[in-house]
Amino acid sequence: MRILVTNDDGIHSPALLALQRVLRAFGDVTVIAPDRNQSATSHSLTLHRPLRIHPHGEGVYSVDGTPTDCVLIAFHGLLTERPDLVVSGINLGPNMGEDVFYSGTVAAAIEGSLQGVPALAASLVTRGEPDFGPAAEVVGRVLGQVLARAPQPRWLLNLNLPHRPTDELTGLELTRLGSRVYEDTLVRKVDPRGKDYFWIGGEDPVWQPLPGTDYHAVHEGRVSLTPLQLGLTDPAAIVDMQAWGLHL
Ligand code: MN
């Protein structure tokens, strides 16, 4: 099995090495990651300038682009054979609930899924100094079980891991995406030249603590595994709107 590892935290994230070490047990691992932090770049593509690729030793490359660029380069240029699996992460910080829409980590996994292979995004729920070694071991354990079930093309799994020693994890839960309670996340200030500026950020998000959600599972010390699908069409709305008589 050929495994592509990427991330959105950039080629210097120690999580890449930790994952590479664990995933070698499953096949040939190639790392292709952005050359700098590309967190919250979502599914963006670089279209208006060339992309440069730099080797960093055997099977490790950086790209001066986004996580999605990295996956496209893996599937359509750099590698002689297509990857069979994409693993993205392990992200420093959670990717739960609506945040999956902003996440470069999840976007890279989505791109793998769009390319027709199973993909897993993994994120470590901490803002502090991370220890990716144990988290990578858990990713390997979960992946081993998933791969044993004949993974389907386009399988898209979102894994969030509590940041605690493995023996203090209280299990694994299959979850649905949770939901944020939106607080003030935009700070308005005045710059030294008297002009207003805005800075997106603010407090850490507050989550609705609903059982069955990713946030709830992680909060209880469990590893959260959320299977995602990409079909965004709302079939019920089509039925409702057909009754509206919309016309030109
Ligand atoms: Mn990130």
PDB file of all heavy atoms in Angstrom, residues 11 32-36 38 46 48-56 60-66 69-70 73 78:
ATOM      1  N   ILE A  11       5.855  21.411   6.839  1.00  0.00           N
ATOM      2  CA  ILE A  11       6.832  20.319   6.774  1.00  0.00           C
ATOM      3  C   ILE A  11       7.618  20.176   8.072  1.00  0.00           C
ATOM      4  O   ILE A  11       8.141  19.115   8.383  1.00  0.00           O
ATOM      5  CB  ILE A  11       7.789  20.540   5.567  1.00  0.00           C
ATOM      6  CG1 ILE A  11       8.619  19.298   5.269  1.00  0.00           C
ATOM      7  CG2 ILE A  11       8.686  21.764   5.775  1.00  0.00           C
ATOM      8  CD1 ILE A  11       7.867  18.193   4.604  1.00  0.00           C
ATOM      9  N   ILE A  32       4.383  14.660   1.713  1.00  0.00           N
ATOM     10  CA  ILE A  32       4.391  15.879   0.894  1.00  0.00           C
ATOM     11  C   ILE A  32       3.572  16.913   1.652  1.00  0.00           C
ATOM     12  O   ILE A  32       2.351  16.766   1.796  1.00  0.00           O
ATOM     13  CB  ILE A  32       3.792  15.654  -0.507  1.00  0.00           C
ATOM     14  CG1 ILE A  32       4.478  14.476  -1.206  1.00  0.00           C
ATOM     15  CG2 ILE A  32       3.927  16.923  -1.347  1.00  0.00           C
ATOM     16  CD1 ILE A  32       3.928  14.166  -2.589  1.00  0.00           C
ATOM     17  N   ALA A  33       4.238  17.924   2.178  1.00  0.00           N
ATOM     18  CA  ALA A  33       3.559  18.862   3.065  1.00  0.00           C
ATOM     19  C   ALA A  33       3.908  20.296   2.669  1.00  0.00           C
ATOM     20  O   ALA A  33       4.947  20.541   2.042  1.00  0.00           O
ATOM     21  CB  ALA A  33       3.964  18.597   4.510  1.00  0.00           C
ATOM     22  N   PRO A  34       3.072  21.246   3.052  1.00  0.00           N
ATOM     23  CA  PRO A  34       3.371  22.650   2.758  1.00  0.00           C
ATOM     24  C   PRO A  34       4.691  23.077   3.419  1.00  0.00           C
ATOM     25  O   PRO A  34       5.055  22.565   4.479  1.00  0.00           O
ATOM     26  CB  PRO A  34       2.197  23.405   3.382  1.00  0.00           C
ATOM     27  CG  PRO A  34       1.104  22.403   3.503  1.00  0.00           C
ATOM     28  CD  PRO A  34       1.780  21.091   3.749  1.00  0.00           C
ATOM     29  N   ASP A  35       5.378  24.028   2.799  1.00  0.00           N
ATOM     30  CA  ASP A  35       6.679  24.449   3.341  1.00  0.00           C
ATOM     31  C   ASP A  35       6.542  25.381   4.546  1.00  0.00           C
ATOM     32  O   ASP A  35       7.550  25.770   5.131  1.00  0.00           O
ATOM     33  CB  ASP A  35       7.557  25.081   2.249  1.00  0.00           C
ATOM     34  CG  ASP A  35       6.987  26.395   1.733  1.00  0.00           C
ATOM     35  OD1 ASP A  35       5.857  26.771   2.121  1.00  0.00           O
ATOM     36  OD2 ASP A  35       7.677  27.050   0.925  1.00  0.00           O
ATOM     37  N   ARG A  36       5.303  25.754   4.862  1.00  0.00           N
ATOM     38  CA  ARG A  36       5.066  26.607   6.038  1.00  0.00           C
ATOM     39  C   ARG A  36       3.657  26.327   6.560  1.00  0.00           C
ATOM     40  O   ARG A  36       2.912  25.576   5.929  1.00  0.00           O
ATOM     41  CB  ARG A  36       5.206  28.077   5.681  1.00  0.00           C
ATOM     42  CG  ARG A  36       4.125  28.581   4.739  1.00  0.00           C
ATOM     43  CD  ARG A  36       4.517  29.839   4.032  1.00  0.00           C
ATOM     44  NE  ARG A  36       5.536  29.543   3.030  1.00  0.00           N
ATOM     45  CZ  ARG A  36       6.143  30.469   2.268  1.00  0.00           C
ATOM     46  NH1 ARG A  36       5.848  31.734   2.419  1.00  0.00           N
ATOM     47  NH2 ARG A  36       7.027  30.119   1.362  1.00  0.00           N
ATOM     48  N   GLN A  38       0.008  26.307   6.993  1.00  0.00           N
ATOM     49  CA  GLN A  38      -1.116  26.648   6.108  1.00  0.00           C
ATOM     50  C   GLN A  38      -2.433  26.331   6.801  1.00  0.00           C
ATOM     51  O   GLN A  38      -3.425  25.986   6.145  1.00  0.00           O
ATOM     52  CB  GLN A  38      -1.008  25.847   4.801  1.00  0.00           C
ATOM     53  CG  GLN A  38       0.169  26.223   3.938  1.00  0.00           C
ATOM     54  CD  GLN A  38      -0.101  27.460   3.090  1.00  0.00           C
ATOM     55  OE1 GLN A  38      -1.229  27.955   3.033  1.00  0.00           O
ATOM     56  NE2 GLN A  38       0.921  27.976   2.446  1.00  0.00           N
ATOM     57  N   THR A  46      -3.530  26.818  -5.301  1.00  0.00           N
ATOM     58  CA  THR A  46      -2.665  27.882  -5.802  1.00  0.00           C
ATOM     59  C   THR A  46      -2.698  27.848  -7.331  1.00  0.00           C
ATOM     60  O   THR A  46      -2.204  26.901  -7.943  1.00  0.00           O
ATOM     61  CB  THR A  46      -1.224  27.667  -5.290  1.00  0.00           C
ATOM     62  OG1 THR A  46      -1.273  27.626  -3.861  1.00  0.00           O
ATOM     63  CG2 THR A  46      -0.301  28.786  -5.739  1.00  0.00           C
ATOM     64  N   HIS A  48      -2.211  30.958  -9.399  1.00  0.00           N
ATOM     65  CA  HIS A  48      -1.679  32.132 -10.091  1.00  0.00           C
ATOM     66  C   HIS A  48      -0.169  32.275 -10.008  1.00  0.00           C
ATOM     67  O   HIS A  48       0.372  33.344 -10.269  1.00  0.00           O
ATOM     68  CB  HIS A  48      -2.376  33.396  -9.568  1.00  0.00           C
ATOM     69  CG  HIS A  48      -3.852  33.311  -9.750  1.00  0.00           C
ATOM     70  ND1 HIS A  48      -4.456  33.312 -10.990  1.00  0.00           N
ATOM     71  CD2 HIS A  48      -4.861  33.169  -8.856  1.00  0.00           C
ATOM     72  CE1 HIS A  48      -5.758  33.188 -10.853  1.00  0.00           C
ATOM     73  NE2 HIS A  48      -6.032  33.087  -9.571  1.00  0.00           N
ATOM     74  N   ARG A  49       0.494  31.217  -9.619  1.00  0.00           N
ATOM     75  CA  ARG A  49       1.957  31.204  -9.638  1.00  0.00           C
ATOM     76  C   ARG A  49       2.394  29.745  -9.678  1.00  0.00           C
ATOM     77  O   ARG A  49       1.610  28.839  -9.349  1.00  0.00           O
ATOM     78  CB  ARG A  49       2.537  31.922  -8.403  1.00  0.00           C
ATOM     79  CG  ARG A  49       2.129  31.300  -7.084  1.00  0.00           C
ATOM     80  CD  ARG A  49       2.872  31.903  -5.911  1.00  0.00           C
ATOM     81  NE  ARG A  49       2.388  31.328  -4.657  1.00  0.00           N
ATOM     82  CZ  ARG A  49       2.767  30.149  -4.174  1.00  0.00           C
ATOM     83  NH1 ARG A  49       3.633  29.401  -4.830  1.00  0.00           N
ATOM     84  NH2 ARG A  49       2.279  29.697  -3.027  1.00  0.00           N
ATOM     85  N   PRO A  50       3.624  29.484 -10.087  1.00  0.00           N
ATOM     86  CA  PRO A  50       4.086  28.093 -10.115  1.00  0.00           C
ATOM     87  C   PRO A  50       4.291  27.554  -8.705  1.00  0.00           C
ATOM     88  O   PRO A  50       4.492  28.328  -7.764  1.00  0.00           O
ATOM     89  CB  PRO A  50       5.423  28.175 -10.859  1.00  0.00           C
ATOM     90  CG  PRO A  50       5.878  29.580 -10.680  1.00  0.00           C
ATOM     91  CD  PRO A  50       4.659  30.425 -10.565  1.00  0.00           C
ATOM     92  N   LEU A  51       4.248  26.242  -8.586  1.00  0.00           N
ATOM     93  CA  LEU A  51       4.532  25.582  -7.305  1.00  0.00           C
ATOM     94  C   LEU A  51       5.923  24.958  -7.375  1.00  0.00           C
ATOM     95  O   LEU A  51       6.274  24.330  -8.371  1.00  0.00           O
ATOM     96  CB  LEU A  51       3.491  24.493  -7.025  1.00  0.00           C
ATOM     97  CG  LEU A  51       2.091  25.011  -6.723  1.00  0.00           C
ATOM     98  CD1 LEU A  51       1.082  23.874  -6.796  1.00  0.00           C
ATOM     99  CD2 LEU A  51       2.044  25.672  -5.351  1.00  0.00           C
ATOM    100  N   ARG A  52       6.693  25.158  -6.337  1.00  0.00           N
ATOM    101  CA  ARG A  52       8.046  24.593  -6.276  1.00  0.00           C
ATOM    102  C   ARG A  52       8.074  23.484  -5.238  1.00  0.00           C
ATOM    103  O   ARG A  52       7.481  23.621  -4.160  1.00  0.00           O
ATOM    104  CB  ARG A  52       9.068  25.665  -5.884  1.00  0.00           C
ATOM    105  CG  ARG A  52       9.048  26.894  -6.763  1.00  0.00           C
ATOM    106  CD  ARG A  52       9.626  26.629  -8.144  1.00  0.00           C
ATOM    107  NE  ARG A  52       9.565  27.841  -8.951  1.00  0.00           N
ATOM    108  CZ  ARG A  52       9.940  27.891 -10.227  1.00  0.00           C
ATOM    109  NH1 ARG A  52      10.379  26.807 -10.836  1.00  0.00           N
ATOM    110  NH2 ARG A  52       9.859  29.029 -10.886  1.00  0.00           N
ATOM    111  N   ILE A  53       8.795  22.428  -5.572  1.00  0.00           N
ATOM    112  CA  ILE A  53       8.886  21.269  -4.689  1.00  0.00           C
ATOM    113  C   ILE A  53      10.329  21.127  -4.229  1.00  0.00           C
ATOM    114  O   ILE A  53      11.255  21.217  -5.045  1.00  0.00           O
ATOM    115  CB  ILE A  53       8.442  19.993  -5.433  1.00  0.00           C
ATOM    116  CG1 ILE A  53       6.972  20.158  -5.863  1.00  0.00           C
ATOM    117  CG2 ILE A  53       8.609  18.758  -4.565  1.00  0.00           C
ATOM    118  CD1 ILE A  53       6.538  19.179  -6.907  1.00  0.00           C
ATOM    119  N   HIS A  54      10.508  20.929  -2.930  1.00  0.00           N
ATOM    120  CA  HIS A  54      11.849  20.757  -2.386  1.00  0.00           C
ATOM    121  C   HIS A  54      11.955  19.408  -1.678  1.00  0.00           C
ATOM    122  O   HIS A  54      11.126  19.106  -0.815  1.00  0.00           O
ATOM    123  CB  HIS A  54      12.189  21.873  -1.398  1.00  0.00           C
ATOM    124  CG  HIS A  54      12.251  23.218  -2.047  1.00  0.00           C
ATOM    125  ND1 HIS A  54      13.345  23.653  -2.740  1.00  0.00           N
ATOM    126  CD2 HIS A  54      11.318  24.189  -2.137  1.00  0.00           C
ATOM    127  CE1 HIS A  54      13.100  24.855  -3.231  1.00  0.00           C
ATOM    128  NE2 HIS A  54      11.878  25.212  -2.881  1.00  0.00           N
ATOM    129  N   PRO A  55      12.957  18.596  -2.034  1.00  0.00           N
ATOM    130  CA  PRO A  55      13.150  17.333  -1.315  1.00  0.00           C
ATOM    131  C   PRO A  55      13.780  17.565   0.058  1.00  0.00           C
ATOM    132  O   PRO A  55      14.585  18.479   0.244  1.00  0.00           O
ATOM    133  CB  PRO A  55      14.110  16.549  -2.222  1.00  0.00           C
ATOM    134  CG  PRO A  55      14.781  17.574  -3.066  1.00  0.00           C
ATOM    135  CD  PRO A  55      13.922  18.787  -3.125  1.00  0.00           C
ATOM    136  N   HIS A  56      13.339  16.765   1.012  1.00  0.00           N
ATOM    137  CA  HIS A  56      13.889  16.825   2.385  1.00  0.00           C
ATOM    138  C   HIS A  56      14.306  15.420   2.784  1.00  0.00           C
ATOM    139  O   HIS A  56      13.833  14.877   3.765  1.00  0.00           O
ATOM    140  CB  HIS A  56      12.838  17.319   3.380  1.00  0.00           C
ATOM    141  CG  HIS A  56      12.402  18.724   3.173  1.00  0.00           C
ATOM    142  ND1 HIS A  56      12.779  19.757   3.996  1.00  0.00           N
ATOM    143  CD2 HIS A  56      11.624  19.271   2.208  1.00  0.00           C
ATOM    144  CE1 HIS A  56      12.242  20.884   3.564  1.00  0.00           C
ATOM    145  NE2 HIS A  56      11.535  20.623   2.489  1.00  0.00           N
ATOM    146  N   VAL A  60      10.421  12.490   1.321  1.00  0.00           N
ATOM    147  CA  VAL A  60       9.851  13.645   2.047  1.00  0.00           C
ATOM    148  C   VAL A  60      10.039  14.897   1.191  1.00  0.00           C
ATOM    149  O   VAL A  60      11.161  15.194   0.758  1.00  0.00           O
ATOM    150  CB  VAL A  60      10.527  13.846   3.423  1.00  0.00           C
ATOM    151  CG1 VAL A  60       9.900  15.032   4.158  1.00  0.00           C
ATOM    152  CG2 VAL A  60      10.423  12.589   4.265  1.00  0.00           C
ATOM    153  N   TYR A  61       8.935  15.604   0.937  1.00  0.00           N
ATOM    154  CA  TYR A  61       8.980  16.796   0.091  1.00  0.00           C
ATOM    155  C   TYR A  61       8.159  17.911   0.719  1.00  0.00           C
ATOM    156  O   TYR A  61       7.141  17.656   1.352  1.00  0.00           O
ATOM    157  CB  TYR A  61       8.372  16.501  -1.285  1.00  0.00           C
ATOM    158  CG  TYR A  61       8.997  15.340  -2.009  1.00  0.00           C
ATOM    159  CD1 TYR A  61       8.517  14.044  -1.799  1.00  0.00           C
ATOM    160  CD2 TYR A  61      10.049  15.523  -2.892  1.00  0.00           C
ATOM    161  CE1 TYR A  61       9.081  12.964  -2.454  1.00  0.00           C
ATOM    162  CE2 TYR A  61      10.618  14.446  -3.563  1.00  0.00           C
ATOM    163  CZ  TYR A  61      10.127  13.167  -3.337  1.00  0.00           C
ATOM    164  OH  TYR A  61      10.683  12.094  -3.984  1.00  0.00           O
ATOM    165  N   SER A  62       8.603  19.136   0.468  1.00  0.00           N
ATOM    166  CA  SER A  62       7.754  20.277   0.800  1.00  0.00           C
ATOM    167  C   SER A  62       7.349  20.984  -0.483  1.00  0.00           C
ATOM    168  O   SER A  62       8.037  20.897  -1.500  1.00  0.00           O
ATOM    169  CB  SER A  62       8.472  21.247   1.738  1.00  0.00           C
ATOM    170  OG  SER A  62       9.534  21.895   1.057  1.00  0.00           O
ATOM    171  N   VAL A  63       6.216  21.655  -0.398  1.00  0.00           N
ATOM    172  CA  VAL A  63       5.645  22.391  -1.525  1.00  0.00           C
ATOM    173  C   VAL A  63       5.315  23.791  -1.031  1.00  0.00           C
ATOM    174  O   VAL A  63       4.769  23.937   0.071  1.00  0.00           O
ATOM    175  CB  VAL A  63       4.356  21.696  -2.026  1.00  0.00           C
ATOM    176  CG1 VAL A  63       3.703  22.512  -3.143  1.00  0.00           C
ATOM    177  CG2 VAL A  63       4.644  20.279  -2.498  1.00  0.00           C
ATOM    178  N   ASP A  64       5.608  24.814  -1.840  1.00  0.00           N
ATOM    179  CA  ASP A  64       5.265  26.173  -1.399  1.00  0.00           C
ATOM    180  C   ASP A  64       3.817  26.487  -1.752  1.00  0.00           C
ATOM    181  O   ASP A  64       3.521  27.449  -2.461  1.00  0.00           O
ATOM    182  CB  ASP A  64       6.234  27.210  -1.982  1.00  0.00           C
ATOM    183  CG  ASP A  64       6.235  27.230  -3.497  1.00  0.00           C
ATOM    184  OD1 ASP A  64       5.698  26.277  -4.107  1.00  0.00           O
ATOM    185  OD2 ASP A  64       6.769  28.189  -4.076  1.00  0.00           O
ATOM    186  N   GLY A  65       2.934  25.644  -1.243  1.00  0.00           N
ATOM    187  CA  GLY A  65       1.519  25.794  -1.531  1.00  0.00           C
ATOM    188  C   GLY A  65       0.665  25.308  -0.373  1.00  0.00           C
ATOM    189  O   GLY A  65       1.139  25.208   0.760  1.00  0.00           O
ATOM    190  N   THR A  66      -0.570  25.000  -0.687  1.00  0.00           N
ATOM    191  CA  THR A  66      -1.557  24.619   0.332  1.00  0.00           C
ATOM    192  C   THR A  66      -1.582  23.092   0.498  1.00  0.00           C
ATOM    193  O   THR A  66      -1.017  22.362  -0.328  1.00  0.00           O
ATOM    194  CB  THR A  66      -2.954  25.089  -0.102  1.00  0.00           C
ATOM    195  OG1 THR A  66      -3.327  24.345  -1.280  1.00  0.00           O
ATOM    196  CG2 THR A  66      -2.979  26.579  -0.409  1.00  0.00           C
ATOM    197  N   ASP A  69      -2.917  21.594  -2.637  1.00  0.00           N
ATOM    198  CA  ASP A  69      -1.861  21.544  -3.665  1.00  0.00           C
ATOM    199  C   ASP A  69      -0.998  20.302  -3.474  1.00  0.00           C
ATOM    200  O   ASP A  69      -0.636  19.630  -4.448  1.00  0.00           O
ATOM    201  CB  ASP A  69      -0.931  22.766  -3.563  1.00  0.00           C
ATOM    202  CG  ASP A  69      -1.602  24.083  -3.904  1.00  0.00           C
ATOM    203  OD1 ASP A  69      -2.563  24.075  -4.706  1.00  0.00           O
ATOM    204  OD2 ASP A  69      -1.151  25.120  -3.378  1.00  0.00           O
ATOM    205  N   CYS A  70      -0.626  20.035  -2.234  1.00  0.00           N
ATOM    206  CA  CYS A  70       0.246  18.890  -1.939  1.00  0.00           C
ATOM    207  C   CYS A  70      -0.380  17.585  -2.407  1.00  0.00           C
ATOM    208  O   CYS A  70       0.299  16.731  -2.997  1.00  0.00           O
ATOM    209  CB  CYS A  70       0.533  18.803  -0.441  1.00  0.00           C
ATOM    210  SG  CYS A  70       1.545  20.149   0.187  1.00  0.00           S
ATOM    211  N   ILE A  73      -0.433  17.385  -6.217  1.00  0.00           N
ATOM    212  CA  ILE A  73       0.916  17.121  -6.725  1.00  0.00           C
ATOM    213  C   ILE A  73       1.276  15.646  -6.544  1.00  0.00           C
ATOM    214  O   ILE A  73       1.900  15.031  -7.405  1.00  0.00           O
ATOM    215  CB  ILE A  73       1.929  18.049  -6.026  1.00  0.00           C
ATOM    216  CG1 ILE A  73       1.855  19.431  -6.691  1.00  0.00           C
ATOM    217  CG2 ILE A  73       3.345  17.495  -6.078  1.00  0.00           C
ATOM    218  CD1 ILE A  73       2.630  20.498  -5.973  1.00  0.00           C
ATOM    219  N   LEU A  78       4.122  14.244  -8.986  1.00  0.00           N
ATOM    220  CA  LEU A  78       5.394  13.917  -8.351  1.00  0.00           C
ATOM    221  C   LEU A  78       5.650  12.416  -8.239  1.00  0.00           C
ATOM    222  O   LEU A  78       6.771  11.960  -8.438  1.00  0.00           O
ATOM    223  CB  LEU A  78       5.432  14.568  -6.959  1.00  0.00           C
ATOM    224  CG  LEU A  78       6.760  14.495  -6.226  1.00  0.00           C
ATOM    225  CD1 LEU A  78       7.842  15.210  -7.010  1.00  0.00           C
ATOM    226  CD2 LEU A  78       6.626  15.118  -4.833  1.00  0.00           C
TER     227      LEU A  78
END
